[in-house]
């Protein structure tokens, strides 16, 4: 999700942080500086799909060959400059971000309802101002890129963390995407997909250093800054009182910016005056109405620390162990060889959802372009459920040893408020053997 309003703030309040760069020239400089390390850009593919999918008639989907040609042109432009691309896709919805996932699905449901109402009222599809991604486009995009010979990675956790970690560890010339969290991570440069001119390989690079100069803080402050503005871990609803306190003491409150911009400046002003230490973080946790979970702020800061990084806000013994926890997770699949194979194929984008079922018995499916007011045909989530039940039975070897693992389904369909997952019983197929 990133930090709401941060990208707009950078463009409007600190335009010097938006630097026009030529990726071809950056690649040439990289080759000179690192002759043994070819120039690589890691692509946050989920934030690029809208940029790639441009057909005028989009409601019914399709246009496969047209879409494939767009992707091929995109790849060829970078190959001509000697730049290798690595594409990353979300492979899991982390539990700590489930609430945000649900909010987005509900918002998508409203957008789709408006889309069908427009079609009924006008007899034709709307323009791009009401654009909704065709169903399963990110999944198809993975296979399209693989068919074009590209390295495609499906993540084991939230994609922005793995993208930032890959960019840092492999000395990439940058990250291409559109997510303000890449301004917060201490990683390689962040390039804008929205501002990319493919014919010239020119785009905007967002500078963390210039942003920090404008805010009057250091790079070390950025993870705490993001948490105090609200992100996927610290809900904005808990921060309103804190923001008002910052606004009353801020020298920026008389500026003619938007309220959100004033909040960003005021929060930065507040944290610039406190020592960078764990004790300062604990005091902030006491001030904020974090409910029963007083570790929320610390967890939020830790989520921005990439492997090998430390922070004065976090004790060394609590430094980010996200990758370690993944290695230690217990799996429903007891066959280690099968589990490892599923994990490898998941990362390599050779299958989808199987690893999530084998690892923790959970699967999710976003919105489909379906008219909720048309009750004659059930939603696809319900139509295909019997088939999924048979698949779950085969994957989890239901009945073996007398065990029947329920599968948690987070599927969007009419009448499902997504308050909790549907618990689905695997059903053995009536096929001998």
């Amino acid at each position: 999700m990133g930090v709401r309003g941060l990208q707009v703030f950078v463009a409007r309040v600190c335009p010097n942080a938006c630097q026009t760069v030529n990726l071809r020239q950056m690649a040439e400089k990289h080759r000179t500086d690192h002759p043994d390390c070819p120039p690589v850009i890691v692509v946050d593919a989920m934030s690029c799909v809208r940029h790639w999918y441009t057909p005028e008639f989009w409601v019914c989907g399709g246009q496969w060959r047209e879409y494939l040609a767009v992707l091929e042109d995109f790849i060829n432009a970078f190959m001509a400059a000697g730049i290798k691309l690595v594409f990353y896709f979300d492979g899991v919805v982390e539990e700590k971000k489930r609430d945000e996932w649900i909010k987005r699905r509900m918002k998508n449901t409203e957008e789709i309802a408006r889309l069908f109402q427009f079609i009924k009222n006008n007899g034709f599809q709307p323009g791009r101002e009401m654009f909704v991604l065709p169903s399963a486009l990110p999944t198809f995009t993975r296979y399209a890129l693989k068919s074009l010979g590209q390295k495609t990675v499906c993540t084991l956790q939230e994609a922005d963390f793995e993208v930032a970690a890959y960019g840092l560890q492999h000395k990439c010339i940058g990250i291409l995407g559109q997510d303000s969290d890449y301004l917060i991570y201490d990683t390689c440069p962040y390039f804008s997909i929205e501002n990319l001119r493919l014919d010239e390989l020119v785009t905007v690079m967002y500078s963390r250093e210039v942003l920090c100069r404008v805010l009057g803080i250091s790079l070390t402050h950025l993870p705490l800054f993001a948490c105090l503005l609200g992100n996927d871990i610290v809900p904005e609803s808990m921060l309103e009182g804190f923001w008002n306190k910052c606004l009353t003491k801020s020298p920026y409150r008389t500026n003619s910016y938007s309220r959100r911009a004033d909040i960003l400046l005021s929060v930065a002003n507040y944290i610039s005056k406190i020592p960078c230490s764990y004790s300062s973080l604990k005091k902030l946790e006491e001030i904020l109405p974090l409910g029963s979970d007083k570790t929320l702020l610390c967890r939020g800061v830790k989520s921005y620390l990439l492997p090998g990084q430390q922070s004065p806000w976090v004790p060394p013994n609590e430094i980010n162990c996200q990758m370690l926890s993944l290695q230690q997770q217990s799996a429903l699949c007891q066959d280690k060889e099968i589990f490892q194979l599923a994990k490898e194929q998941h990362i390599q984008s050779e299958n989808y959802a199987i690893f999530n079922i084998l690892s923790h018995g959970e699967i999710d499916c976003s919105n489909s372009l379906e008219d909720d007011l048309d009750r004659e045909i059930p939603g696809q989530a319900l139509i295909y459920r019997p088939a999924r039940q048979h698949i779950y039975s085969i994957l989890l070897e239901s009945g073996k040893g007398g065990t029947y693992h329920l599968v948690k389904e987070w599927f969007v369909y009419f009448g499902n408020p997504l308050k909790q997952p549907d618990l689905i019983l695997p059903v053995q197929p009536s096929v001998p053997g």
Side-chain angles (χ1 to χ4, degrees):
M1 179 182 93
V3 177
R4 182 173 64 84
L6 180 57
Q7 201 88 45
V8 174
F9 174 86
V10 171
R12 293 181 182 172
V13 181
C14 42
N16 289 342
C18 305
Q19 302 166 358
T20 301
V21 293
N22 186 303
L23 299 178
R24 185 177 283 102
Q25 292 174 1
M26 292 188 74
E28 289 170 0
K29 184 177 187 305
H30 181 90
R31 272 189 290 270
T32 302
D33 296 342
H34 309 279
D36 299 327
C37 181
V40 176
I41 290 179
V42 56
V43 182
D44 180 350
M46 297 297 284
S47 61
C48 296
V49 170
R50 283 176 178 269
H51 176 83
W52 293 328
Y53 190 81
T54 56
E56 183 181 351
F57 299 103
W58 49 268
V59 168
C60 295
Q63 304 105 350
W64 180 247
R65 283 195 290 185
E66 182 181 347
Y67 187 51
L68 210 58
V70 169
L71 293 176
E72 199 164 13
D73 289 344
F74 183 85
I75 294 163
N76 288 340
F78 286 91
M79 284 180 62
I83 299 172
K84 180 184 174 184
L85 300 174
V86 177
F87 297 88
Y88 266 78
F89 288 84
D90 273 315
V92 65
V93 178
E94 292 186 45
E95 193 57 39
K96 64 188 178 185
K97 299 192 176 183
R98 179 61 70 183
D99 288 346
E100 185 57 38
W101 185 88
I102 292 169
K103 282 181 195 171
R104 292 188 192 185
R105 302 295 76 78
M106 291 304 188
K107 184 182 176 187
N108 289 352
T109 298
E110 294 172 4
E111 292 172 352
I112 291 168
R114 285 195 293 271
L115 164 64
F116 277 101
Q117 194 58 51
F118 182 96
I119 293 171
K120 290 173 186 175
N121 291 343
N122 298 280
F124 57 87
Q125 73 160 38
R128 294 283 292 196
E129 71 278 359
M130 292 181 72
F131 179 72
V132 178
L133 280 181
S135 303
L137 186 62
T139 302
F140 295 139
T141 303
R142 284 201 294 274
Y143 295 121
L145 291 167
K146 284 184 74 67
S147 74
L148 295 170
Q150 298 304 294
K151 180 173 180 178
T152 308
V153 180
C154 196
T155 66
L156 294 171
Q157 58 194 111
E158 195 71 15
D160 54 8
F161 177 86
E162 289 199 29
V163 167
Y166 185 94
L168 181 67
Q169 290 168 349
H170 292 82
K171 296 182 175 62
C172 295
I173 61 173
I175 293 166
L176 183 63
Q178 208 69 36
D179 185 334
S180 59
D181 268 344
Y182 297 128
L183 275 164
I184 306 300
Y185 287 108
D186 185 6
T187 182
C188 59
Y190 162 35
F191 305 133
S192 165
I193 183 65
E194 285 186 3
N195 293 284
L196 176 65
R197 300 203 300 273
L198 192 62
D199 55 339
E200 301 176 26
L201 279 190
V202 168
T203 189
V204 166
M205 180 177 73
Y206 297 105
S207 169
R208 301 178 192 95
E209 291 75 15
V210 174
L211 171 63
C212 286
R213 271 205 306 275
V214 172
L215 294 173
I217 59 177
S218 69
L219 291 171
T220 306
H221 286 103
L222 284 176
L224 179 60
F225 175 67
C227 293
L228 292 176
L229 290 167
N231 56 15
D232 290 341
I233 295 178
V234 185
E236 286 189 13
S237 57
M238 293 181 171
L239 299 166
E240 282 285 350
F242 173 72
W243 293 343
N244 290 332
K245 178 181 177 182
C246 291
L247 284 166
T248 58
K249 296 182 178 181
S250 172
Y252 303 105
R253 65 183 183 275
T254 56
N255 287 346
S256 57
Y257 300 127
S258 67
R259 183 173 189 272
R260 185 62 180 172
D262 289 342
I263 288 171
L264 266 73
L265 288 164
S266 301
V267 168
N269 179 64
Y270 180 92
I271 63 173
S272 69
K273 294 178 169 54
I274 62 176
C276 290
S277 67
Y278 180 54
S279 59
S280 296
L281 187 84
K282 296 306 291 180
K283 287 176 185 174
L284 275 170
E285 286 179 335
E286 293 302 319
I287 293 170
L288 297 173
L290 300 178
S292 58
D293 189 355
K294 292 295 183 183
T295 67
L296 212 56
L297 203 56
C298 188
R299 282 198 290 117
V301 171
K302 283 196 289 185
S303 72
Y304 289 108
L305 298 180
L306 303 176
Q309 292 182 340
Q310 295 189 334
S311 168
W313 305 107
V314 181
N317 62 325
E318 289 188 29
I319 289 299
N320 199 326
C321 297
Q322 294 185 61
M323 302 307 262
L324 184 62
S325 65
L326 283 167
Q327 295 164 5
Q328 294 174 340
Q329 66 186 1
S330 58
L332 294 185
C333 176
Q334 297 305 306
D335 189 316
K336 291 183 179 179
E337 191 175 342
I338 289 176
F339 182 73
Q340 185 60 31
L341 178 63
K343 184 176 181 180
E344 290 171 2
Q345 290 189 345
H346 174 93
I347 293 169
Q348 294 164 10
S349 301
E350 291 175 8
N351 63 46
Y352 181 66
I354 291 175
F355 173 71
N356 291 335
I357 295 165
L358 292 178
S359 59
H360 47 276
E362 193 166 26
I363 182 173
D364 50 73
C365 180
S366 187
N367 306 73
S368 301
L369 287 180
E370 299 175 317
D371 184 2
D372 284 347
L373 297 180
D374 182 356
R375 307 291 165 74
E376 290 186 24
I377 303 176
Q380 61 84 18
L382 299 178
I383 289 174
Y384 292 109
R385 178 173 284 172
R388 293 197 302 274
Q389 288 179 283
H390 291 321
I391 294 169
Y392 301 154
S393 173
I394 294 166
L395 287 174
L396 298 174
E397 298 184 287
S398 295
K400 189 176 181 180
T403 58
Y404 290 86
H405 293 289
L406 294 174
V407 174
K408 292 182 280 187
E409 284 193 347
W410 295 93
F411 276 58
V412 180
Y413 58 86
F414 176 74
N416 184 8
L418 295 173
K419 298 291 184 187
Q420 62 274 320
D422 294 327
L423 300 178
I424 307 301
L425 181 69
V427 175
Q428 289 180 302
S430 56
V431 179

